[in-house]
Amino acid sequence: MSTLSPPSPRAADPEVRRAAAFLERLFPAPRSFAVRLWEGTVLPADGPAGVTLALRTPGALRRMFRLPLEPALGEAYLAGDFDLEGDLWEIGPALASARATALDPASALGLVRAWRG
């Protein structure tokens, strides 16, 4: 499991912890990209990060992962809730891994619980 970096005074914020827990479940280690949360906390990649998922607002994950997923991701992107910084081709393997995680029933249940948090 990745650690939050750099230590942030707001890392104790429950919303930051819930977002980090959801992302760790959706994109388990080893993760090839970094995630930067809206308040500056970074979930580092497990190695050199070619791309960073930048979440710009606290509600970004809720809006990104509504059903149906594809329109929700597009709408969240157009609304400015998140951005991808760097080499976009680097995120492909991570998306394939997330899809596999979401298709496993036990993992999917954990994701739903984390998302609802």
Side-chain angles (χ1 to χ4, degrees), residues 1-2 4 14-29 31 33 35 37-38 43 53 55 58-67 69 73 98 101-102 107-117:
M1 178 184 256
S2 302
L4 296 175
E15 197 161 6
V16 170
R17 286 195 317 270
R18 284 191 301 269
F22 175 76
L23 290 164
E24 292 289 346
R25 281 187 171 275
L26 183 61
F27 302 112
R31 187 176 51 245
F33 64 97
V35 178
L37 302 181
W38 57 92
L43 297 146
L53 170 62
L55 300 178
L61 290 173
R62 263 190 313 279
R63 288 184 290 278
M64 289 167 68
F65 294 103
R66 291 185 323 237
L67 294 176
L69 184 59
L73 283 170
T101 298
S107 296
L109 181 59
L111 278 172
V112 168
R113 286 182 179 149
W115 183 81
R116 291 188 67 175

Side-chain angles (χ1 to χ4, degrees), residues 2-109:
S2 302
T3 58
L4 296 175
S5 171
S8 166
R10 292 193 53 190
D13 180 339
E15 197 161 6
V16 170
R17 286 195 317 270
R18 284 191 301 269
F22 175 76
L23 290 164
E24 292 289 346
R25 281 187 171 275
L26 183 61
F27 302 112
R31 187 176 51 245
S32 62
F33 64 97
V35 178
R36 187 175 56 252
L37 302 181
W38 57 92
E39 45 67 83
T41 297
V42 175
L43 297 146
D46 297 310
V51 67
T52 298
L53 170 62
L55 300 178
R56 306 233 184 262
T57 64
L61 290 173
R62 263 190 313 279
R63 288 184 290 278
M64 289 167 68
F65 294 103
R66 291 185 323 237
L67 294 176
L69 184 59
E70 290 84 3
L73 283 170
E75 289 169 8
Y77 179 77
L78 291 174
D81 287 327
F82 76 95
D83 199 3
L84 295 170
E85 302 167 349
D87 184 358
L88 300 183
W89 294 107
E90 296 280 330
I91 204 150
L95 294 176
S97 172
R99 185 172 192 271
T101 298
L103 292 177
D104 173 63
S107 296
L109 181 59

